[in-house]
Amino acid sequence: MRFRHPDGSTVHLAYCTNVHPAETLDGVLAQLGDHCEPVRRRLGRDRLGIGLWLARDAARALVADPAALRTLRTALDRRGLEVVTLNGFPYEGFGAAEVKHRVYQPDWTRPERLAHTTDLARLLAALLPDDVTEGTVSTLPIAWRTPYDARAADLARTALTTLAERLDALEELTGRSVRVGLEPEPGCVIETVRDAIGPLTAVASPRIGVCLDTCHLATSFEDPRAALSALDAAGIPVPKAQLSAALHAEHPHLPEVREALAAFAEPRFLHQTRTLTAAGPRGTDDLPEALAGGVLPESTPWRSHFHVPLHAPPEPPLTSTLPLLRDTLALLVGGPRSRTRHLEVETYTWQALPPDRRPRTRARLADGIAAELTLARDLLTDLGLKELP
C-alpha cells in the first residue's frame, strides 16, 4: 500500500511475512498464494506491499539461480504484490517449535550474517518495483548482550562497515539504493534507540541506520520523541519502522493480572519483560521469569515483548501499547517531512497467542492481518497522508 506524504514523498506500508514461516523458495512461493494474495483481496487493493522474510536457504537458492529470482518476481507481479523491504532479522528456523535465543544467531560478529545480509540487499535490488529505487532491510541489533566484549564489538563494526561499502557498490552497479536498519530490542547489545547511536556513529554511513520497532520501543519504556530527537542530533537515519504493539499490565501485583499474563507465556518466542522504576528500568529475559516473582517490582506497570495484533488488544485487565504506536507514527510521518518511507506491520505472534485467540484457519489469519493493515492505513490517513491506487 502506498501513500503520498504532504512533502511529496511516497510512504510504503507492508506487512511482514515472517508470520508465515517458510524456509525454502518453494515455501515462499506457496505463501504468496496461500496468504499474501488473500490479504490483498480482503483489502480490495490492486497492489499490496509485503515485507518479505527470506530465510538462509531461500535466499541462497535465489542468489544461485537467476531464473528462480525471475520466477519470484513474476509471481509477485501476478498476485498484485510488491516488495520494497525485507526482514533480515531471523536467519533460519523462525517457524521452529522453540526459537527463543536462537533468533539472534548468527550475529554481526560472524561472517555468515554479513554474507546473508549482502545477499538480501542484492536480491532486494532485483525485486524492487520498476518505479521504486530505494529498498530497506531490517536486521538484528548486533548481538544478544552476552557474551559480548571489545573484540566482538570490533568484529561487528568491521562487518557493518564492509556492508556499507557493499551497499555503495550495489547502488553504483544497479542504480538501486538499499539501506539497512538495526532493530533495537530488549536484551540485546542495542536494547534501546539511544544504544544504537554509538555503534552507528562508529560505522558512519548513511546506508545503515535504525529500524524502529514500536513494540520494542514500548517494552523498553523509551520516550519516542526523545529517542527520535537523539537520532536526529546524531545524524542517524530511520530507514524503516515496524508498527507493532507490546503487552501492557498496569497492575502486575493483582492475581487476576498475573493469571492473564501467564496465558501469554508460551514456549516458542522470547518475551522480554520490563518495568520502569524511580531507579531506572528493570527487566527479565522472558515472561515466565517475571511471573515467577522476586525479580521485578510489582508496584509499577510491566510491559512484555509480545507482538499483539494492532486491532485486537488483549482483554482486560491487560492492554496493549497501541497509544505509543500512534504517538511514534505521528512523529515519524505526521510532520512537514517524513522521517521514514517504509512502514511494516510485524505481528509474527498470531499463532503464539493464547489458544482461544489464535486463528484456526488461513482465512481467519488473513482476516486478522487485513484488519491490522486497515487500522494502520487509517492512522496514516488521519495524519494527512493520501492513499494511492
Side-chain angles (χ1 to χ4, degrees):
M1 301 168 75
R2 299 186 184 191
F3 299 81
R4 181 73 68 209
H5 190 274
D7 67 7
S9 65
T10 300
V11 174
H12 294 263
L13 173 66
Y15 89 90
C16 186
T17 64
N18 62 357
V19 67
H20 318 300
E23 300 288 318
T24 66
L25 178 55
D26 286 344
V28 170
L29 290 169
Q31 75 185 198
L32 302 182
D34 292 343
H35 300 289
C36 303
E37 187 176 11
V39 171
R40 178 183 65 76
R41 292 185 181 280
R42 279 162 173 76
L43 292 166
R45 306 297 300 167
D46 293 333
R47 174 175 54 191
L48 175 67
I50 58 171
L52 198 60
W53 175 55
L54 295 173
R56 178 199 62 175
D57 288 349
R60 286 182 177 176
L62 290 166
V63 169
D65 186 356
L69 183 56
R70 289 193 296 271
T71 296
L72 175 58
R73 176 66 186 267
T74 300
L76 290 165
D77 292 341
R78 186 175 70 250
R79 297 191 181 280
L81 306 170
E82 66 178 13
V83 176
V84 302
T85 188
L86 299 179
N87 188 329
F89 195 135
Y91 183 73
E92 61 184 348
F94 200 60
E98 182 175 334
V99 178
K100 300 290 185 180
H101 290 85
R102 289 193 298 110
V103 76
Y104 307 108
Q105 295 296 331
D107 61 32
W108 276 101
T109 68
R110 294 172 56 185
E112 301 97 316
R113 177 60 66 173
L114 173 60
H116 179 59
T117 310
T118 301
D119 284 346
L120 293 179
R122 291 170 177 164
L123 293 171
L124 181 56
L127 290 173
L128 288 174
D130 292 339
D131 62 343
V132 175
T133 59
E134 181 182 298
T136 54
V137 178
S138 48
T139 188
L140 75 160
I142 297 184
W144 187 250
R145 69 182 185 278
T146 57
Y148 194 79
D149 54 19
R151 179 177 179 275
D154 286 342
L155 289 171
R157 182 175 62 253
T158 299
L160 290 168
T161 301
T162 301
L163 175 66
E165 294 168 351
R166 292 178 179 179
L167 296 176
D168 286 341
L170 181 65
E171 183 171 16
E172 290 182 10
L173 180 65
T174 66
R176 303 291 182 85
S177 172
V178 175
R179 296 191 295 166
V180 172
L182 304 185
E183 184 182 328
E185 179 169 314
C188 294
V189 170
I190 298 176
E191 168 152 345
T192 68
V193 172
R194 288 180 177 272
D195 291 339
I197 293 174
L200 290 175
T201 300
V203 175
S205 170
R207 299 283 183 192
I208 303 179
V210 166
C211 171
L212 188 65
D213 185 301
T214 57
C215 171
H216 303 170
L217 188 81
T219 302
S220 295
F221 286 88
E222 281 199 89
D223 176 73
R225 185 177 298 276
L228 287 168
S229 294
L231 291 180
D232 287 346
I236 294 171
V238 182
K240 173 179 177 178
Q242 289 174 323
L243 309 183
S244 53
L247 193 63
H248 180 94
E250 185 69 19
H251 303 292
H253 66 285
L254 296 176
E256 59 267 30
V257 174
R258 303 291 278 263
E259 182 180 358
L261 282 171
F264 288 84
E266 53 84 37
R268 180 180 295 181
F269 300 112
L270 207 59
H271 300 296
Q272 302 93 315
T273 302
R274 298 286 186 268
T275 190
L276 188 62
T277 71
R282 296 271 300 277
T284 63
D285 287 344
D286 211 350
L287 181 56
E289 183 185 353
L291 292 171
V295 180
L296 294 185
E298 300 176 5
S299 57
T300 50
W302 290 4
R303 289 177 181 170
S304 190
H305 173 213
F306 196 114
H307 291 230
V308 294
L310 301 186
H311 70 293
E315 298 291 332
L318 302 179
T319 59
S320 82
T321 59
L322 182 63
L324 185 136
L325 184 159
R326 288 195 181 100
D327 292 345
T328 307
L329 190 61
L331 293 169
L332 287 170
V333 301
R337 67 176 183 87
S338 181
R339 277 187 164 107
T340 187
R341 290 189 289 275
H342 291 178
L343 303 172
E344 179 182 73
V345 171
E346 197 212 16
T347 306
Y348 59 83
T349 42
W350 273 97
Q351 300 302 340
L353 289 168
D356 62 334
R357 296 176 62 87
R358 295 175 193 170
R360 297 298 181 183
T361 64
R362 289 177 182 170
R364 292 287 181 85
L365 178 58
D367 290 341
I369 294 169
E372 288 196 281
L373 285 167
T374 297
L375 185 148
R377 179 195 64 195
D378 291 346
L379 292 178
L380 290 172
T381 55
D382 286 347
L383 290 170
L385 282 73
K386 179 181 179 182
E387 187 174 6
L388 299 176

